[in-house]
Amino acid sequence: MGIFKRKEKRSADGMVEVGDNILTALIGGSSEVKKAEALQIPTVSACVNLIADRISALPIKLYRENGKEVEEITEDNRLNMLNHDTGDTINATEMKKLWIRDYFLGKGSYTYIERNLFNEPTGLLYVDETRLAVAPGVDPIHKTYSIQVNGRVYFPYQFLKILRNSKGFGTGTSIISEDPLALAIYYNTMKFENATIRKGGNKKGYILAKNKLTQDAMDKVKEAWRKLYSNSYDTKDNAVVLNDGLDFKESSSTSVELQLNENKRTNADEICKLFCMPADVLNGKADEHMISQFVQNCLMPLINTIESALDTDLLTEAEKAGHYYFAFDTSELTRGDFASRMNAYAVALQNKIYQLDEIREMEDKPPLGFNFIKLGLDAVLVDPKTREIYTPNTGKLEKMNAEHLTEEDICDILESRGNPYHDDKGRFTSAGGAGGKMSSVSLPLKPPKISFKERIRLSHEIATDYPQKKPGDKFGYENRNHFYIVKVHEFGSYSFEARLVLSDKNKPYIDILRKELSKNGK
């Protein structure tokens, strides 16, 4: 009985509490699970590997936000290190998988940022979180910490750190330390099942003796029983011969043994909850809704954490001020099956969210060069770049708000129609040696609607003010309210190709047209 001696602590109601270390020894299990042991649990390993495989396959991109526009930066060495060659002995895919494993099962992920003399990153060197130590500061407000590797002290900015539920002192909280009991129960269940298999599946029991056995007889029975439970390959050890007066009584199965498989399934579901992952995702029974939950609740929070870490540790202060940021291309996660994607694209086209070539690009198809989108009734098309409207049933191509053109509008339309003109310091210059003749330029202004009375009045004014104009001449004419582009057919007979209101908004564009007409000598 000496081995059962232990310290006891009696509570007020008479209950006896046994010391944790003694109780653990009696049960034969462990109340603490390490990283290596956690990875031996199938559900933990499957969850970590599935998340790591999904995220490691996503490319990382660099963007710069400029007002309402977002520009993708493609030429940057950091993108090559994050997506291809890390500069280490492991590639980018392996590095991302190690990030996620350390993120969930360790104190965090740490990657050393190797830099050149110009402070530019030249390599991302993964460091096993078990090989480094973090020394936190003592100030709970202005938090500081240092990182030590092989006795050498490093500053936090020298590492890319991806931490789970961090409190700001350089370390995260693993799921092992956050919920050790759930993992310990599953791990000890596996050990119990393993011990049963090692015994060959033989039931526990006890031997009844009618007469008192000598010590030598008891030792021989014990040795025979040990060989029976040892999984020996010797056939003579596969049976125990009981002499007269000895009888084996099988002990009944405990509730733990009877419910072992059910408990394993329940524990596996509980472990999936630690990763915010629907259990059916691992079982292959997940529908589209569950996969969407997996992406939104499990993958996206981790992706956002990694993106924030990249922005903090890999961007310079000037780039942060310039609104640069890293982001995963998550389009592959939400693509779904073919039918679902096509239905989503149809809705996007119908609601003018995407153009046809944008959808073809997402499907890795070559563009068709069709830049029009539908405005409505399947009868009107608009080019969003040039702001031109085309009506198929009439064959007309018109400009939106033609009387209020911007300088950019004029340049875009002239160039889109094959005219060799471009904007150069507030004026149009010929790039193709066409002589700058306005007659060769198809003006984007639609003919104005001028009443008969106004046309007669304008014709009298022009004939009086410009009697020297010849047929075919084109020039600018303005009165108190409008600026006109006038074409001479004969003396006293004129047509009006444009009319712009004289206003501060239109003044810069009227000046452009006035200079162009004057430059051409018309």
Side-chain angles (χ1 to χ4, degrees), residues 2-109:
I3 63 173
F4 295 103
K5 290 183 179 179
R6 60 192 184 275
K7 295 182 180 179
E8 297 181 355
K9 179 180 178 182
R10 296 184 178 271
S11 60
D13 57 1
M15 294 291 290
V16 178
E17 299 180 3
V18 183
D20 289 343
N21 55 342
I22 303 297
L23 181 60
T24 300
L26 290 174
I27 296 175
S30 174
S31 60
E32 184 178 358
V33 176
K34 303 296 184 182
K35 181 178 179 180
E37 296 170 342
L39 285 173
Q40 295 178 21
I41 301 175
T43 306
V44 173
S45 178
C47 288
V48 172
N49 290 335
L50 177 59
I51 296 172
D53 290 341
R54 288 293 185 92
I55 294 182
S56 63
L58 302 178
I60 299 176
K61 297 185 177 182
L62 178 62
Y63 298 94
R64 180 173 69 91
E65 185 177 355
N66 184 14
K68 294 183 179 180
E69 297 182 357
V70 176
E71 175 189 2
E72 181 181 354
I73 309 299
T74 57
E75 300 297 329
D76 194 290
N77 187 44
R78 289 167 293 187
L79 296 176
N80 181 55
M81 291 185 289
L82 291 170
N83 295 309
H84 304 289
D85 186 5
T86 64
D88 199 351
T89 55
I90 59 177
N91 58 41
T93 300
E94 293 170 339
M95 180 179 65
K96 294 173 188 174
K97 291 182 179 180
L98 291 171
W99 285 354
I100 294 166
R101 178 173 295 186
D102 291 347
Y103 173 84
F104 281 113
L105 304 179
K107 58 178 171 284
S109 170

Side-chain angles (χ1 to χ4, degrees), residues 197-218:
I197 294 174
R198 290 180 60 187
K199 295 174 183 177
N202 296 320
K203 287 289 187 178
K204 296 179 180 179
Y206 52 91
I207 297 176
L208 290 177
K210 295 181 179 179
N211 301 316
K212 183 176 181 180
L213 298 179
T214 63
Q215 184 63 40
D216 183 59
M218 286 192 293

